[in-house]
Amino acid sequence: MIAGEPGKQNVVNPLLDSLGVQMLNGTIVQQSRDYSYDLLTPNLAAGAVAMDKRLQQYYSYGLTVSMPGAGALSYAAKGAFTVHLLLTSNAQSSWLKKGKFTLDSAALTVDHINGDQQGSFPTALMLTRKVNNKEQRIIVAADADFFSNTELNRNNMQTLNTAFAMSIFRWFSYEEFPIDASRPPSKDNAVTLTKASIKPIQILFYGIIPGTLFLLGMVLLIRRKRK
């Protein structure tokens, strides 16, 4: 797994070049009324479902993953690896911001003159290829904070960071992690009582047993009082 950060392109790109992947210059920013512009919430792509079918429901609902300070990725469509998109930014509300910018600026907009690019950009990719009859698996992410403790426990918005991170580790381990501790459902899972058979049970528990306990208590108290 290779996780980069904006500003570190010169460090990760030489490594990514051998995979046919590059981390573009700049930071993806996202318009928001409640959060900082550098808090990106990319959507699950179809490749996430290919990685883990358990993400199908989240994908159909259009749920997101939180990525504070994320870059953008590009890849060669006909490279040595088969590439699947895992996460993509929203083309309507986000864009690739070039150069330095102030996060608390209310006037942060797309600046095409300085090279800003608006559109949907991949922020996480899944790469596979066959090597000596074995499958090589690689995840490339343009953010390293999405599976940090802070993002896994974020409670001010609904995100899929925990489920997404678990799916990545499950994919890497060929379904061996996390351990499936579930058990087959119980066979004795049906109630066969009828209204007619419930009546004697009600009499027993609502009348006979409480009445017996009441009488035993009275006898015990009377005998103690006589002594």
Side-chain angles (χ1 to χ4, degrees):
M1 182 169 184
I2 305 172
E5 284 285 343
K8 301 295 183 181
Q9 287 88 342
N10 60 328
V11 177
V12 298
N13 276 341
L15 175 62
L16 296 178
D17 186 58
S18 61
L19 308 178
V21 178
Q22 285 289 286
M23 189 171 175
L24 303 177
N25 291 325
T27 303
I28 301 180
V29 294
Q30 179 173 297
Q31 290 179 337
S32 175
R33 185 182 64 181
D34 303 313
Y35 305 102
S36 175
Y37 272 44
D38 69 336
L39 179 58
L40 184 67
T41 55
N43 295 93
L44 290 177
V49 180
M51 178 180 69
D52 187 356
K53 293 181 180 179
R54 297 171 181 84
L55 296 175
Q56 172 64 54
Q57 184 177 9
Y58 303 128
Y59 169 70
S60 61
Y61 289 160
L63 299 184
T64 61
V65 172
S66 62
M67 284 186 155
L73 299 171
S74 66
Y75 62 93
K78 297 182 179 180
F81 290 85
T82 301
V83 181
H84 293 280
L85 276 66
L86 297 180
L87 298 172
T88 56
S89 62
N90 189 312
Q92 304 301 321
S93 60
S94 63
W95 67 95
L96 183 61
K97 189 74 176 175
K98 302 293 184 67
K100 296 182 179 180
F101 56 89
T102 304
L103 287 174
D104 58 0
S105 174
L108 192 62
T109 58
V110 182
D111 187 356
H112 295 290
I113 297 177
N114 290 327
D116 290 1
Q117 296 175 260
Q118 190 159 15
S120 177
F121 296 94
T123 59
L125 300 172
M126 176 179 73
L127 285 69
T128 59
R129 71 173 177 179
K130 292 291 184 179
V131 179
N132 297 327
N133 296 323
K134 295 182 179 180
E135 187 176 59
Q136 184 178 10
R137 297 183 169 187
I138 300 174
I139 297 289
V140 180
D143 174 60
D145 300 315
F146 72 94
F147 57 94
S148 65
N149 288 335
T150 300
E151 297 308 314
L152 294 178
N153 295 290
R154 179 180 287 274
N155 56 15
N156 61 349
M157 69 166 62
Q158 185 179 10
T159 61
L160 296 174
N161 291 57
T162 300
F164 184 66
M166 294 296 284
S167 293
I168 289 176
F169 298 133
R170 185 181 291 111
W171 182 68
F172 275 139
S173 63
Y174 296 88
E175 300 286 332
E176 293 184 5
F177 174 85
I179 297 172
D180 185 4
S182 61
R183 293 292 181 268
S186 175
K187 294 181 180 179
D188 185 15
N189 57 5
V191 177
T192 58
L193 288 174
T194 63
K195 290 184 178 181
S197 60
I198 289 177
K199 195 64 177 180
I201 296 176
Q202 289 178 324
I203 295 173
L204 175 65
F205 284 95
Y206 293 167
I208 297 175
I209 293 177
T212 302
L213 293 175
F214 177 73
L215 292 175
L216 289 175
M218 285 185 61
V219 171
L220 181 62
L221 290 174
I222 291 172
R223 293 185 64 181
R224 283 185 175 179
K225 190 173 182 179
R226 287 179 176 178
K227 292 181 178 180

